[in-house]
Coordinates of all heavy atoms in Angstrom, one line a residue:
M9 N 21.6 10.8 -20.1 CA 20.3 10.6 -19.3 C 20.0 12.0 -18.6 O 20.8 12.6 -18.1 CB 20.6 9.6 -18.3 CG 19.2 9.1 -17.7 SD 19.7 7.8 -16.4 CE 20.2 6.4 -17.4
A10 N 18.8 12.2 -18.6 CA 18.3 13.4 -17.9 C 18.4 13.3 -16.5 O 18.4 12.2 -15.8 CB 16.8 13.7 -18.3
G11 N 18.6 14.5 -15.9 CA 18.8 14.4 -14.3 C 17.5 14.2 -13.7 O 16.4 14.1 -14.3
C12 N 17.4 14.1 -12.3 CA 16.2 13.9 -11.6 C 15.8 15.2 -11.0 O 16.6 16.2 -10.8 CB 16.5 12.9 -10.4 SG 15.1 12.7 -9.4
V13 N 14.4 15.4 -10.8 CA 13.9 16.6 -10.3 C 14.4 16.9 -8.9 O 14.3 18.1 -8.5 CB 12.3 16.6 -10.3 CG1 11.8 16.6 -11.7 CG2 11.8 15.3 -9.5
T14 N 14.8 15.9 -8.2 CA 15.3 16.1 -6.9 C 16.7 16.9 -6.9 O 17.1 17.3 -5.9 CB 15.5 14.8 -6.1 OG1 16.5 14.0 -6.8 CG2 14.2 14.0 -6.0
G15 N 17.4 16.7 -8.1 CA 18.7 17.4 -8.2 C 19.7 16.5 -7.6 O 20.9 16.9 -7.5
K16 N 19.3 15.4 -7.1 CA 20.3 14.5 -6.5 C 21.0 13.6 -7.5 O 20.6 13.4 -8.6 CB 19.7 13.5 -5.5 CG 19.1 14.2 -4.3 CD 18.5 13.2 -3.3 CE 18.0 13.8 -2.0 NZ 17.5 12.9 -1.0
R17 N 22.2 13.1 -7.1 CA 23.0 12.3 -7.9 C 22.2 10.9 -8.2 O 21.7 10.4 -7.1 CB 24.3 12.0 -7.4 CG 25.3 11.3 -8.2 CD 26.7 11.8 -7.9 NE 27.7 11.0 -8.6 CZ 28.9 11.0 -8.4 NH1 29.4 11.8 -7.4 NH2 29.8 10.2 -8.9
M18 N 22.3 10.4 -9.3 CA 21.5 9.1 -9.6 C 22.4 8.0 -9.6 O 23.5 8.0 -10.3 CB 20.7 9.3 -10.9 CG 19.7 10.4 -10.9 SD 19.4 11.1 -12.5 CE 18.5 9.8 -13.3
Y19 N 22.0 6.8 -9.1 CA 22.8 5.6 -9.2 C 21.9 4.6 -9.8 O 20.7 4.5 -9.4 CB 23.2 5.2 -7.8 CG 24.1 6.2 -7.1 CD1 23.5 7.1 -6.2 CD2 25.5 6.3 -7.5 CE1 24.4 8.1 -5.7 CE2 26.3 7.3 -7.0 CZ 25.7 8.1 -6.0 OH 26.5 9.1 -5.4
P20 N 22.4 3.7 -10.8 CA 21.6 2.8 -11.4 C 21.1 1.6 -10.7 O 20.1 1.0 -11.0 CB 22.4 2.4 -12.6 CG 23.8 2.6 -12.2 CD 23.7 3.8 -11.3
S21 N 21.7 1.3 -9.6 CA 21.3 0.1 -8.7 C 21.5 0.4 -7.3 O 22.3 1.3 -7.0 CB 21.9 -1.1 -9.2 OG 23.3 -1.1 -8.7
K22 N 20.8 -0.4 -6.4 CA 21.0 -0.3 -5.0 C 22.4 -0.5 -4.6 O 23.0 0.1 -3.8 CB 20.1 -1.4 -4.4 CG 20.0 -1.2 -2.9 CD 18.8 -2.1 -2.3 CE 18.8 -1.9 -0.8 NZ 19.2 -3.1 -0.1
E23 N 23.0 -1.6 -5.3 CA 24.4 -1.8 -5.0 C 25.4 -0.7 -5.2 O 26.2 -0.4 -4.5 CB 24.8 -3.2 -5.7 CG 24.3 -4.4 -5.2 CD 22.8 -4.6 -5.5 OE1 22.3 -4.1 -6.6 OE2 22.1 -5.1 -4.6
V24 N 25.2 -0.1 -6.4 CA 26.1 1.0 -6.7 C 25.8 2.2 -5.8 O 26.8 2.9 -5.4 CB 25.8 1.5 -8.2 CG1 26.6 2.7 -8.5 CG2 26.1 0.3 -9.2
A25 N 24.6 2.4 -5.3 CA 24.3 3.4 -4.5 C 24.9 3.2 -3.1 O 25.4 4.1 -2.4 CB 22.8 3.6 -4.3
E26 N 24.8 2.0 -2.7 CA 25.5 1.5 -1.4 C 27.0 1.8 -1.4 O 27.6 2.2 -0.4 CB 25.1 0.1 -1.0 CG 23.7 0.0 -0.6 CD 23.3 -1.5 -0.2 OE1 24.1 -2.4 -0.7 OE2 22.3 -1.7 0.5
D27 N 27.5 1.4 -2.6 CA 29.0 1.5 -2.7 C 29.4 3.1 -2.5 O 30.4 3.5 -1.8 CB 29.5 1.1 -4.2 CG 29.6 -0.4 -4.2 OD1 29.5 -1.1 -3.1 OD2 29.6 -0.9 -5.3
A28 N 28.6 3.8 -3.2 CA 28.7 5.4 -3.2 C 28.6 5.9 -1.8 O 29.3 6.8 -1.3 CB 27.8 6.1 -4.2
L29 N 27.6 5.4 -1.0 CA 27.3 5.7 0.3 C 28.5 5.5 1.2 O 28.9 6.4 1.9 CB 26.1 5.0 0.8 CG 25.6 5.1 2.3 CD1 25.2 6.6 2.6 CD2 24.5 4.1 2.6
I30 N 29.0 4.2 1.2 CA 30.0 3.8 2.0 C 31.3 4.6 1.6 O 32.2 5.0 2.4 CB 30.3 2.3 1.9 CG1 29.1 1.7 2.6 CG2 31.6 1.9 2.6 CD1 29.0 0.2 2.3
D31 N 31.5 4.8 0.3 CA 32.7 5.6 -0.1 C 32.7 7.0 0.3 O 33.7 7.5 0.8 CB 32.7 5.5 -1.7 CG 33.9 6.1 -2.3 OD1 35.0 5.5 -2.0 OD2 33.9 7.2 -3.0
A32 N 31.5 7.6 0.4 CA 31.3 8.9 0.9 C 31.9 9.0 2.4 O 32.4 9.9 2.8 CB 30.0 9.4 0.9
W33 N 31.4 8.0 3.2 CA 31.8 7.9 4.6 C 33.3 7.8 4.7 O 33.9 8.1 5.8 CB 31.1 6.8 5.3 CG 29.7 7.3 5.7 CD1 28.6 7.4 4.9 CD2 29.4 7.7 7.0 NE1 27.6 7.9 5.7 CE2 28.0 8.1 7.0 CE3 30.1 7.7 8.3 CZ2 27.3 8.5 8.0 CZ3 29.3 8.2 9.3 CH2 28.0 8.6 9.2
T34 N 34.0 7.2 3.8 CA 35.5 7.0 3.9 C 36.2 8.3 3.4 O 37.4 8.5 3.7 CB 36.0 6.0 2.9 OG1 35.9 6.2 1.6 CG2 35.4 4.6 3.2
R35 N 35.4 9.3 2.8 CA 36.0 10.5 2.3 C 35.8 11.7 3.2 O 36.5 12.8 3.1 CB 35.6 10.8 0.9 CG 36.2 9.8 -0.1 CD 35.7 9.9 -1.5 NE 36.1 8.8 -2.2 CZ 37.3 8.6 -2.6 NH1 38.2 9.5 -2.5 NH2 37.7 7.4 -3.3
Y36 N 34.7 11.7 3.9 CA 34.2 12.8 4.7 C 34.1 12.5 6.1 O 33.8 11.3 6.4 CB 32.9 13.5 4.2 CG 33.1 13.8 2.7 CD1 32.5 13.0 1.7 CD2 33.7 15.0 2.3 CE1 32.6 13.3 0.4 CE2 33.8 15.3 1.0 CZ 33.3 14.5 0.0 OH 33.4 14.8 -1.3
D37 N 34.3 13.4 7.0 CA 34.1 13.2 8.5 C 32.7 13.5 8.9 O 32.4 14.6 9.3 CB 35.0 14.0 9.3 CG 36.5 13.5 9.2 OD1 36.7 12.2 9.4 OD2 37.3 14.2 8.8
Y38 N 31.9 12.6 8.7 CA 30.5 12.8 9.0 C 30.3 12.5 10.5 O 30.9 11.7 11.1 CB 29.5 11.9 8.3 CG 29.5 12.1 6.8 CD1 29.7 11.1 5.9 CD2 29.2 13.4 6.3 CE1 29.7 11.2 4.6 CE2 29.2 13.6 5.0 CZ 29.3 12.5 4.1 OH 29.3 12.7 2.7
R39 N 29.4 13.2 11.1 CA 29.1 13.0 12.5 C 27.6 12.4 12.6 O 26.9 12.4 11.5 CB 29.0 14.2 13.3 CG 30.4 14.7 13.9 CD 30.3 16.1 14.3 NE 31.4 16.9 13.6 CZ 32.6 16.9 13.9 NH1 33.0 16.2 14.8 NH2 33.5 17.7 13.1
Q40 N 27.3 11.8 13.7 CA 26.0 11.3 13.8 C 25.0 12.4 13.5 O 25.1 13.5 14.0 CB 25.8 10.8 15.3 CG 24.7 9.9 15.5 CD 25.2 8.4 15.3 OE1 26.3 8.2 15.7 NE2 24.3 7.5 14.8
G41 N 24.0 12.0 12.7 CA 22.9 12.9 12.3 C 23.2 13.9 11.2 O 22.4 14.7 10.8
N42 N 24.4 13.8 10.6 CA 24.7 14.5 9.3 C 25.4 13.7 8.4 O 26.2 12.9 8.8 CB 25.3 16.0 9.6 CG 26.8 15.9 9.7 OD1 27.4 15.3 8.9 ND2 27.4 16.7 10.6
G43 N 25.1 13.9 7.1 CA 25.7 13.0 6.1 C 24.7 11.9 5.7 O 23.7 11.6 6.4
P44 N 24.8 11.3 4.6 CA 23.9 10.3 4.0 C 24.0 9.1 4.9 O 25.1 8.7 5.3 CB 24.4 10.0 2.6 CG 25.9 10.5 2.7 CD 26.0 11.5 3.8
V45 N 22.9 8.4 5.1 CA 22.8 7.2 5.9 C 22.2 6.1 5.2 O 22.3 4.9 5.7 CB 22.1 7.4 7.3 CG1 22.9 8.4 8.2 CG2 20.7 7.8 7.1
A46 N 21.5 6.3 4.1 CA 20.8 5.2 3.4 C 20.6 5.5 1.9 O 21.0 6.7 1.5 CB 19.3 5.1 4.1
V47 N 20.1 4.5 1.2 CA 19.8 4.7 -0.2 C 18.3 4.4 -0.4 O 17.7 3.6 0.4 CB 20.7 3.7 -1.1 CG1 22.1 3.9 -0.7 CG2 20.3 2.3 -0.9
Y48 N 17.7 5.0 -1.4 CA 16.3 4.6 -1.7 C 16.1 4.8 -3.2 O 16.8 5.5 -3.9 CB 15.5 5.6 -0.9 CG 15.5 7.0 -1.5 CD1 14.5 7.4 -2.3 CD2 16.4 7.9 -1.1 CE1 14.4 8.8 -2.8 CE2 16.5 9.2 -1.5 CZ 15.5 9.6 -2.4 OH 15.5 11.0 -2.9
Q49 N 15.1 4.1 -3.6 CA 14.7 4.2 -5.0 C 13.7 5.3 -5.2 O 12.7 5.5 -4.5 CB 14.1 2.9 -5.5 CG 13.9 2.9 -7.1 CD 13.5 1.6 -7.5 OE1 12.9 0.7 -6.8 NE2 13.7 1.3 -8.9
C50 N 14.0 6.2 -6.2 CA 13.3 7.4 -6.4 C 12.0 7.1 -7.2 O 12.0 6.3 -8.2 CB 14.2 8.4 -7.2 SG 13.4 9.9 -7.5
E51 N 10.9 7.8 -6.8 CA 9.7 7.6 -7.5 C 9.7 8.5 -8.9 O 8.9 8.0 -9.7 CB 8.5 8.1 -6.6 CG 8.1 7.2 -5.5 CD 7.0 7.6 -4.7 OE1 6.5 8.6 -5.0 OE2 6.7 6.9 -3.6
D52 N 10.5 9.4 -9.0 CA 10.5 10.3 -10.1 C 11.3 9.6 -11.3 O 10.9 9.6 -12.4 CB 11.0 11.7 -9.7 CG 9.9 12.5 -9.1 OD1 8.9 12.6 -9.6 OD2 10.2 12.9 -7.9
C53 N 12.5 9.3 -10.9 CA 13.4 8.9 -11.9 C 13.6 7.4 -11.9 O 14.1 6.8 -12.8 CB 14.9 9.5 -11.8 SG 15.8 9.1 -10.3
G54 N 13.2 6.6 -10.9 CA 13.3 5.2 -10.8 C 14.7 4.7 -10.5 O 14.9 3.6 -10.4
Q55 N 15.7 5.6 -10.3 CA 17.0 5.3 -9.9 C 17.2 5.5 -8.4 O 16.3 5.8 -7.8 CB 18.0 6.0 -10.7 CG 17.8 6.0 -12.2 CD 19.1 5.8 -13.0 OE1 20.1 5.5 -12.5 NE2 19.0 6.0 -14.3
F56 N 18.4 5.3 -8.0 CA 18.7 5.3 -6.5 C 19.4 6.6 -6.1 O 20.3 7.1 -6.9 CB 19.4 4.1 -6.1 CG 18.6 2.8 -6.2 CD1 18.4 2.1 -7.4 CD2 18.0 2.3 -5.0 CE1 17.6 1.0 -7.5 CE2 17.2 1.2 -5.1 CZ 17.0 0.5 -6.3
H57 N 19.1 7.1 -5.0 CA 19.7 8.3 -4.4 C 20.1 8.0 -3.0 O 19.6 7.0 -2.4 CB 18.7 9.5 -4.3 CG 18.1 9.9 -5.7 ND1 18.9 10.2 -6.8 CD2 16.9 10.1 -6.1 CE1 18.1 10.6 -7.8 NE2 16.8 10.6 -7.3
L58 N 21.0 8.8 -2.5 CA 21.4 8.8 -1.1 C 20.5 9.8 -0.3 O 20.1 10.7 -0.8 CB 22.9 9.3 -1.0 CG 23.9 8.5 -1.8 CD1 25.2 8.9 -1.2 CD2 23.7 7.0 -1.7
T59 N 20.3 9.2 0.9 CA 19.4 10.2 1.7 C 20.1 10.3 3.2 O 20.7 9.4 3.6 CB 18.0 9.6 1.9 OG1 17.2 10.6 2.8 CG2 17.9 8.2 2.4
S60 N 19.8 11.4 3.9 CA 20.4 11.6 5.1 C 19.3 11.3 6.2 O 19.6 11.5 7.4 CB 20.9 13.0 5.4 OG 19.9 13.9 5.2
T61 N 18.1 10.9 5.8 CA 17.1 10.6 6.8 C 16.8 9.1 6.7 O 17.1 8.4 5.8 CB 15.9 11.4 6.6 OG1 15.4 11.1 5.2 CG2 16.1 12.8 6.7
G62 N 16.2 8.6 7.8 CA 15.8 7.2 7.9 C 16.7 6.4 8.6 O 17.7 7.0 9.2
E63 N 16.5 5.1 8.5 CA 17.4 4.1 9.2 C 18.6 4.0 8.5 O 18.7 4.0 7.3 CB 16.6 2.8 9.3 CG 15.7 2.8 10.5 CD 15.5 1.5 11.2 OE1 16.5 0.7 11.0 OE2 14.5 1.2 11.6
M64 N 19.8 3.7 9.2 CA 21.1 3.5 8.6 C 21.1 2.3 7.8 O 20.5 1.2 8.2 CB 22.2 3.6 9.6 CG 23.5 3.4 9.1 SD 24.8 3.6 10.3 CE 25.0 5.5 10.4
N65 N 21.7 2.4 6.6 CA 21.8 1.2 5.7 C 22.6 0.1 6.4 O 23.6 0.4 7.1 CB 22.5 1.7 4.5 CG 22.8 0.6 3.5 OD1 23.9 -0.1 3.5 ND2 21.9 0.4 2.5
Q66 N 22.2 -1.1 6.2 CA 22.8 -2.3 6.9 C 24.4 -2.3 6.6 O 25.1 -2.6 7.4 CB 22.1 -3.6 6.4 CG 20.8 -3.8 7.0 CD 20.8 -4.0 8.5 OE1 21.6 -4.8 8.9 NE2 19.8 -3.6 9.2
R67 N 24.6 -2.3 5.3 CA 26.1 -2.4 4.8 C 26.8 -1.2 5.5 O 28.0 -1.5 5.8 CB 26.1 -2.4 3.3 CG 26.2 -3.7 2.7 CD 26.3 -3.6 1.2 NE 27.6 -3.1 0.8 CZ 27.8 -2.7 -0.5 NH1 26.9 -2.8 -1.4 NH2 29.0 -2.3 -0.8
L68 N 26.3 0.0 5.6 CA 27.1 1.1 6.1 C 27.3 0.8 7.6 O 28.4 1.1 8.1 CB 26.2 2.4 5.9 CG 26.8 3.5 6.5 CD1 28.2 3.9 6.0 CD2 26.0 4.8 6.3
R69 N 26.3 0.4 8.2 CA 26.3 0.2 9.7 C 27.4 -0.8 10.0 O 28.3 -0.7 10.8 CB 25.0 -0.3 10.3 CG 25.0 -0.5 11.7 CD 23.8 -1.2 12.2 NE 22.5 -0.4 11.9 CZ 22.1 0.6 12.6 NH1 22.7 1.0 13.7 NH2 21.0 1.2 12.2
K70 N 27.4 -1.9 9.2 CA 28.4 -3.0 9.3 C 29.8 -2.4 9.1 O 30.7 -2.9 9.8 CB 28.1 -4.1 8.5 CG 28.9 -5.4 8.7 CD 28.3 -6.6 7.8 CE 29.3 -7.8 8.1 NZ 30.6 -7.6 7.4
S71 N 30.0 -1.6 8.0 CA 31.3 -1.2 7.7 C 31.8 -0.2 8.7 O 33.0 -0.1 9.1 CB 31.2 -0.5 6.4 OG 30.8 -1.4 5.3
L72 N 30.9 0.5 9.4 CA 31.3 1.4 10.5 C 31.7 0.5 11.7 O 32.7 0.9 12.4 CB 30.2 2.3 10.8 CG 29.9 3.5 9.9 CD1 28.6 4.2 10.2 CD2 31.0 4.6 10.0
E73 N 30.9 -0.5 12.0 CA 31.1 -1.2 13.2 C 32.3 -2.1 13.1 O 33.1 -2.3 14.1 CB 30.0 -2.1 13.5 CG 28.8 -1.3 14.2 CD 27.5 -2.1 14.3 OE1 27.5 -3.4 13.8 OE2 26.5 -1.7 14.9
D74 N 32.6 -2.7 11.9 CA 33.9 -3.6 11.8 C 35.1 -2.8 11.5 O 36.2 -3.5 11.4 CB 33.6 -4.7 10.9 CG 33.4 -4.3 9.4 OD1 33.8 -3.1 9.2 OD2 33.0 -5.2 8.6
G75 N 35.0 -1.5 11.3 CA 36.3 -0.8 11.2 C 36.7 -0.6 9.7 O 37.7 0.1 9.4
T76 N 35.9 -1.1 8.8 CA 36.2 -1.0 7.3 C 36.4 0.4 6.9 O 37.3 0.8 6.1 CB 35.2 -1.7 6.5 OG1 35.1 -3.0 6.9 CG2 35.6 -1.7 5.0
I77 N 35.4 1.3 7.4 CA 35.5 2.6 6.9 C 36.6 3.4 7.5 O 37.2 4.1 6.8 CB 34.1 3.2 7.3 CG1 33.1 2.7 6.2 CG2 34.2 4.7 7.3 CD1 31.6 3.2 6.5
K78 N 37.0 3.1 8.7 CA 38.1 3.8 9.4 C 39.4 3.4 8.6 O 40.2 4.3 8.3 CB 38.1 3.3 10.8 CG 38.9 4.3 11.7 CD 38.8 3.9 13.2 CE 39.6 4.8 14.0 NZ 39.9 4.2 15.3
L79 N 39.5 2.1 8.3 CA 40.8 1.7 7.5 C 40.8 2.4 6.2 O 41.9 2.9 5.8 CB 40.7 0.2 7.4 CG 41.3 -0.7 8.5 CD1 41.0 -2.1 8.1 CD2 42.7 -0.4 8.8
Q80 N 39.7 2.4 5.4 CA 39.7 2.9 4.1 C 39.9 4.4 4.1 O 40.5 5.0 3.3 CB 38.3 2.6 3.6 CG 38.2 2.9 2.0 CD 39.2 2.1 1.2 OE1 39.3 0.9 1.4 NE2 40.0 2.8 0.4
K81 N 39.4 5.0 5.2 CA 39.6 6.5 5.5 C 41.1 6.8 5.5 O 41.6 7.7 4.8 CB 38.9 6.9 6.5 CG 38.8 8.5 6.7 CD 38.0 8.8 8.0 CE 36.6 9.3 7.6 NZ 35.7 9.5 8.8
E82 N 41.8 6.0 6.3 CA 43.3 6.2 6.4 C 43.9 6.0 5.0 O 44.8 6.7 4.7 CB 43.8 5.1 7.3 CG 43.6 5.4 8.8 CD 44.3 6.7 9.2 OE1 45.5 6.9 8.9 OE2 43.6 7.6 9.8
A83 N 43.4 4.9 4.3 CA 44.0 4.6 3.0 C 43.8 5.8 2.0 O 44.8 6.2 1.3 CB 43.5 3.4 2.4
N84 N 42.6 6.3 2.1 CA 42.3 7.5 1.3 C 43.3 8.7 1.6 O 43.6 9.4 0.7 CB 40.9 7.9 1.3 CG 39.9 7.0 0.5 OD1 40.3 6.2 -0.2 ND2 38.7 7.0 1.0
R85 N 43.4 8.9 2.8 CA 44.2 10.1 3.3 C 45.6 10.0 2.7 O 46.2 11.0 2.2 CB 44.3 10.1 4.8 CG 44.2 11.5 5.4 CD 44.5 11.4 6.8 NE 43.7 10.5 7.7 CZ 42.5 10.9 8.2 NH1 42.0 12.1 7.9 NH2 41.8 10.0 8.9
W86 N 46.2 8.7 2.7 CA 47.6 8.5 2.2 C 47.5 8.7 0.6 O 48.4 9.4 0.0 CB 48.1 7.2 2.6 CG 48.6 7.2 3.9 CD1 47.9 6.6 5.0 CD2 49.7 7.9 4.4 NE1 48.6 7.0 6.1 CE2 49.8 7.7 5.8 CE3 50.8 8.5 3.8 CZ2 50.9 8.2 6.5 CZ3 51.8 9.0 4.6 CH2 51.9 8.8 5.9
S87 N 46.5 8.1 -0.1 CA 46.5 8.2 -1.5 C 46.3 9.7 -2.0 O 46.8 10.1 -3.0 CB 45.5 7.2 -2.1 OG 44.2 7.6 -1.9
D88 N 45.6 10.4 -1.2 CA 45.3 11.8 -1.5 C 46.6 12.5 -1.5 O 46.9 13.3 -2.3 CB 44.4 12.5 -0.5 CG 42.9 12.1 -0.8 OD1 42.6 11.5 -1.9 OD2 42.0 12.5 0.0
K89 N 47.4 12.3 -0.5 CA 48.8 12.9 -0.4 C 49.6 12.6 -1.7 O 50.3 13.5 -2.2 CB 49.5 12.4 0.7 CG 49.1 13.1 2.0 CD 50.1 12.9 3.1 CE 49.6 13.7 4.4 NZ 49.5 12.6 5.6
F90 N 49.5 11.4 -2.2 CA 50.4 11.1 -3.3 C 49.8 11.5 -4.7 O 50.4 11.7 -5.6 CB 50.6 9.6 -3.4 CG 51.6 9.1 -2.2 CD1 51.1 8.3 -1.2 CD2 52.9 9.7 -2.2 CE1 52.0 8.0 -0.1 CE2 53.7 9.3 -1.1 CZ 53.2 8.4 -0.1
N91 N 48.4 11.6 -4.7 CA 47.8 11.9 -6.0 C 47.4 13.3 -6.2 O 46.8 13.7 -7.1 CB 46.5 11.0 -6.1 CG 46.9 9.5 -6.1 OD1 47.9 9.2 -6.7 ND2 46.0 8.7 -5.6
R92 N 47.7 14.2 -5.2 CA 47.3 15.5 -5.2 C 48.0 16.3 -6.5 O 49.1 16.0 -6.7 CB 47.7 16.3 -4.0 CG 47.1 17.7 -3.9 CD 47.1 18.1 -2.5 NE 46.1 17.4 -1.6 CZ 46.1 17.2 -0.3 NH1 47.0 17.7 0.3 NH2 45.1 16.6 0.3
R93 N 47.2 17.0 -7.3 CA 47.7 17.7 -8.4 C 47.8 19.1 -8.0 O 46.8 19.7 -7.5 CB 46.8 17.5 -9.6 CG 46.9 16.1 -10.1 CD 45.7 15.8 -10.9 NE 45.5 14.3 -10.6 CZ 44.8 13.5 -11.5 NH1 44.5 14.0 -12.6 NH2 44.8 12.2 -11.3
Ligands
LIG102 ZN1 15.2 10.6 -8.6

């Protein structure tokens, strides 16, 4: 499939994009105001991209509030240690 003119990574559905959004938050230490916060459907390619502007995605907000992301981040830290090549 051809890339998008935005140069952004493409996700085939909103759900997949949200998974990627939340996954990104478990892998990087984003601070308020930097990092992706939402997903949107692109007018050019019709697929979904992450964006760092706009209102925070509901699923992301919930995962941050209930501690899911913090837990997953810890888990990733450990699996990185064991899986490093
Ligand atoms: Zn696009």
Side-chain angles (χ1 to χ4, degrees):
M9 193 185 292
C12 176
V13 290
T14 61
K16 289 182 173 182
R17 190 147 171 195
M18 298 152 72
Y19 300 98
S21 75
K22 187 169 180 249
E23 285 69 33
V24 174
E26 285 179 342
D27 286 345
L29 173 66
I30 289 163
D31 191 59
W33 277 78
T34 69
R35 288 173 195 286
Y36 304 100
D37 285 312
Y38 296 126
R39 276 167 238 281
Q40 201 90 29
N42 88 42
V45 296
V47 307
Y48 71 98
Q49 189 168 23
C50 179
E51 289 181 0
D52 285 301
C53 66
Q55 304 226 13
F56 290 81
H57 301 305
L58 308 187
T59 177
S60 57
T61 59
E63 282 212 26
M64 184 174 276
N65 177 273
Q66 291 287 327
R67 264 180 69 193
L68 174 60
R69 185 188 300 278
K70 187 169 176 295
S71 302
L72 283 168
E73 281 172 359
D74 69 12
T76 303
I77 283 178
K78 203 174 175 193
L79 275 176
Q80 191 59 48
K81 196 180 254 177
E82 283 299 310
N84 285 343
R85 221 189 303 273
W86 282 103
S87 71
D88 281 354
K89 272 196 185 119
F90 291 115
N91 296 331
R92 193 159 285 159
R93 289 157 213 206

